[in-house]
C-alpha cells in the first residue's frame, strides 16, 4: 500500500517533497476519522471538502503520481478517493489490455 502523504513521517515527507501539502494540517479530512462512526452523508461532505483542498494544492500532480505508483491507502489523493482510483485503474487495465484476435 502507498501511504497517504498526511500519514508519512516528517523525514519521509521531506524526502518526497510533501512538506508543504495542505493535507498535513488536517489529516482526518483526507483519510477519515479514526473511528468508523462517520455517516454516509458526513463522509460525502468530508470528501467534497478534501477534494477542494486538493485543488488548491501545489503538489496535486505529485500526489496523483504517488497514488498511481502503487495501491493507495484509503483517503483522498489529488481530488480522488482511493476507491475511485482503484476503479479507474481496473477499468483502464481491462480496456487497454491486448485483445486476442478471433480465429
Amino acid at each position: 500500500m502507498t501511504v497517504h502523504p498526511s500519514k508519512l513521517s516528517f523525514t519521509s515527507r521531506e524526502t518526497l517533497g510533501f512538506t508543504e501539502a495542505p493535507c498535513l494540517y488536517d489529516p482526518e479530512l483526507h483519510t477519515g476519522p479514526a473511528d468508523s462512526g462517520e455517516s454516509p452523508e458526513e463522509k460525502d461532505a468530508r470528501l467534497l471538502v478534501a477534494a477542494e483542498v486538493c485543488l488548491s494544492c501545489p503538489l496535486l500532480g505529485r500526489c496523483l503520481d504517488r497514488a498511481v505508483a502503487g495501491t493507495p491507502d484509503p483517503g483522498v489523493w489529488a481530488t480522488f478517493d482511493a476507491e475511485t482510483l482503484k476503479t479507474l485503474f481496473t477499468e483502464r487495465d481491462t480496456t487497454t489490455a491486448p485483445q486476442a484476435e478471433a480465429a
Side-chain angles (χ1 to χ4, degrees), residues 10-51:
F10 178 78
T11 304
S12 294
R13 287 192 305 249
E14 202 168 46
T15 301
L16 296 169
F18 281 99
T19 57
E20 301 299 318
C23 61
L24 303 177
Y25 302 110
D26 189 1
E28 277 193 358
L29 177 64
H30 294 272
T31 60
D35 63 16
S36 60
E38 187 176 49
S39 72
E41 294 82 14
E42 291 170 324
K43 181 178 180 180
D44 289 345
R46 178 181 55 77
L47 293 176
L48 181 63
V49 172

Side-chain angles (χ1 to χ4, degrees), residues 38-97:
E38 187 176 49
S39 72
E41 294 82 14
E42 291 170 324
K43 181 178 180 180
D44 289 345
R46 178 181 55 77
L47 293 176
L48 181 63
V49 172
E52 289 175 6
V53 171
C54 290
L55 284 173
S56 67
C57 181
L59 303 170
L60 183 92
R62 185 176 294 167
C63 183
L64 185 58
D65 288 345
R66 182 165 171 73
V68 301
T71 304
D73 272 350
V76 177
W77 297 76
T79 75
F80 297 98
D81 64 74
E83 294 82 20
T84 300
L85 288 169
K86 182 179 178 184
T87 301
L88 291 172
F89 299 146
T90 303
E91 288 174 4
R92 179 197 65 193
D93 292 344
T94 59
T95 59
T96 60

